[in-house]
Amino acid sequence: MGWWIALAGIAVLSAIPVGLYFSYDADGLRGQLILGPIRHTLFPQRKKEKETPEPEQKTEEQAESQPKSGKPSPKPPQPPESKPEEKGKKGGSYRDFLPLIRVGLDLLGDIRRKIRVKRLSLHLVLAGDDPCDLAVNYGRALAAAEALTAQLERAFVIQNRDVDVECDFAATQTRITAEIDVRITLGRLLALTAVYGVRGLKEYWNLKKKRKGGAENESETSQHVGNNHPENP
């Protein structure tokens, strides 16, 4: 009986949706992290009220050390601080880094088939006083929006799509309202993390061993060259 309860609990947990929600309008950009029914605001963060520091009271010794004019005594000149020189970093081998790139590309190709776009909304209102220019811009914007939507539909599964382009001759500024809600189940996310995490660690250790072996070979070569070098009389 306990095994069945554990399996049921694992099934329920794996079905919990995890996602990100982003929106943009006149109030700015907003982002939320979604975990089941819980939503955590990533940005904008609430501003904390700054406490005004109380004015420091001068001690009797500080009052006596200052001259009667009220001006503080000038500090002696200090030598400029020497900044440490920045050393340029040497790049690693491209061939050694290729396995890690393949793992990342495989992860992106696999995760895009498991991500669900619950809602995709894009409203664009074009502004302009010239009807001819506005009509040309409307055609370009509509074509660009349709091309972007087609690319997203080929990459992801979009459940609810709302893309609209309008014209407003009375407006003075073009405005846009966007909204996207991306979801993936917790079970799929953990499975992808386990599979590609193991692959990434394996390639990382192989790269580390390869670089360690190359460093040992270079040290042995330098020692061999030093032993064969004739000593100066």
Side-chain angles (χ1 to χ4, degrees):
M1 186 66 181
W3 287 102
W4 289 106
I5 296 176
L7 291 175
I10 293 173
V12 172
L13 290 176
S14 62
I16 293 176
V18 181
L20 293 172
Y21 172 82
F22 297 100
S23 64
Y24 178 79
D25 52 20
D27 296 331
L29 182 64
R30 294 185 298 275
Q32 291 180 339
L33 175 65
I34 303 171
L35 180 59
I38 303 173
R39 286 176 176 259
H40 174 68
T41 301
L42 299 175
F43 52 86
Q45 297 180 354
R46 294 181 180 178
K47 296 181 180 180
K48 297 181 179 179
E49 296 181 358
K50 297 182 179 180
E51 298 181 356
T52 56
E54 297 181 356
E56 298 180 356
Q57 297 180 356
K58 296 181 179 180
T59 60
E60 295 180 358
E61 295 180 356
Q62 292 178 348
E64 292 177 357
S65 62
Q66 289 184 354
K68 294 181 180 180
S69 60
K71 296 181 180 180
S73 57
K75 296 181 180 180
Q78 298 179 357
E81 297 180 357
S82 59
K83 297 181 180 180
E85 298 180 357
E86 297 182 356
K87 297 181 179 179
K89 295 182 179 180
K90 295 182 179 180
S93 174
Y94 173 72
R95 296 181 181 273
D96 295 340
F97 193 65
L98 275 179
L100 296 176
I101 295 178
R102 295 192 187 99
V103 174
L105 292 177
D106 292 343
L107 173 61
L108 293 177
D110 200 2
I111 198 173
R112 71 180 181 84
R113 292 190 292 268
K114 293 179 172 59
I115 284 179
R116 298 291 182 269
V117 179
K118 190 175 181 180
R119 176 172 174 77
L120 175 63
S121 176
L122 179 64
H123 290 178
L124 180 63
V125 180
L126 300 174
D129 53 357
D130 190 349
C132 296
D133 293 342
L134 191 57
V136 173
N137 294 332
Y138 173 79
R140 293 175 179 175
L142 186 61
E146 291 178 352
L148 176 62
T149 305
Q151 292 289 339
L152 291 175
E153 286 181 342
R154 279 194 290 267
F156 306 102
V157 177
I158 302 176
Q159 297 177 351
N160 187 2
R161 177 173 59 88
D162 182 15
V163 179
D164 187 22
V165 180
E166 299 177 359
C167 296
D168 189 356
F169 295 96
T172 58
Q173 186 179 7
T174 299
R175 296 189 176 275
I176 185 172
T177 303
E179 184 181 3
I180 185 170
D181 190 343
V182 182
R183 304 289 183 94
I184 186 174
T185 60
L186 184 60
R188 289 177 175 176
L189 182 61
L190 292 177
L192 290 172
T193 304
V195 172
Y196 290 97
V198 171
R199 284 185 56 186
L201 286 175
K202 185 179 179 181
E203 296 296 343
Y204 171 75
W205 285 113
N206 291 338
L207 176 61
K208 192 173 182 180
K209 290 179 180 179
K210 188 174 182 180
R211 298 187 70 176
K212 186 177 179 181
E216 290 179 355
N217 292 336
E218 288 180 0
S219 62
E220 291 178 358
T221 304
S222 60
Q223 290 179 2
H224 181 69
V225 171
N227 293 334
N228 292 339
H229 192 276
E231 298 181 355
N232 294 327

